[in-house]
Amino acid sequence: LAPLVESGGGSVQAGGSLKLSCTAPGYLDSGYSAGWFRQAPGKEREGVAAIDADGLTSYAGSVKGRFTISRDKAKSTLYLQMNSLKPEDTATYYCGAEGGYTDDVRLGLVPEFDFEGQGTQVTVSS
């Protein structure tokens, strides 16, 4: 499989929006889940959002109602629309994909991903 490659990060003021993209050739047709996680300096990794093969989605409580995950299988691209951004959303955002089936998304969880990209930085200023 080709690497996962994120783009779309940047700097924005609080209340603003950004849309992240992840090219994921082969991953979105695998039948397994894909999604996003983030990590801020000095903090643990946090699963942000995921989407499974049936289109079910799951979100971290901290982003629910503000972030939306979507995918375009024809373009092999995963997206994360981030609205109403807050300074605490500042982190490096990574695209991830599972290597096997789990029930995590169906259970409302963001899974641990087996594959991940290099990340894109999102900085939200107050």
Side-chain angles (χ1 to χ4, degrees):
L1 292 171
L4 298 160
V5 181
E6 304 92 339
S7 62
S11 297
V12 65
Q13 289 193 322
S17 299
L18 282 174
K19 186 173 185 177
L20 305 183
S21 300
C22 171
T23 55
Y27 295 95
L28 301 185
D29 294 324
S30 68
Y32 308 137
S33 301
W36 298 87
F37 64 95
R38 65 188 180 186
Q39 188 159 24
K43 295 188 177 180
E44 290 193 0
R45 178 177 289 199
E46 178 187 24
V48 174
I51 185 166
D52 74 2
D54 294 326
L56 287 175
T57 58
S58 59
Y59 296 92
S62 58
V63 307
K64 197 171 291 186
R66 300 188 297 122
F67 291 11
T68 303
I69 189 171
S70 62
R71 66 184 177 199
D72 185 331
K73 285 189 174 182
K75 295 182 179 179
S76 297
T77 302
L78 188 70
Y79 302 100
L80 185 68
Q81 177 67 48
M82 306 186 294
N83 298 328
S84 302
L85 283 160
K86 304 175 181 180
E88 51 264 44
D89 295 318
T90 295
T92 301
Y93 284 71
Y94 300 86
C95 173
E98 287 192 293
Y101 177 78
T102 70
D103 272 335
D104 288 356
V105 177
R106 197 167 294 276
L107 295 172
L109 304 172
V110 178
E112 294 282 334
F113 298 114
D114 299 297
F115 305 98
E116 60 186 63
Q118 294 298 306
T120 186
Q121 178 67 34
V122 172
T123 303
V124 185
S125 57
S126 57

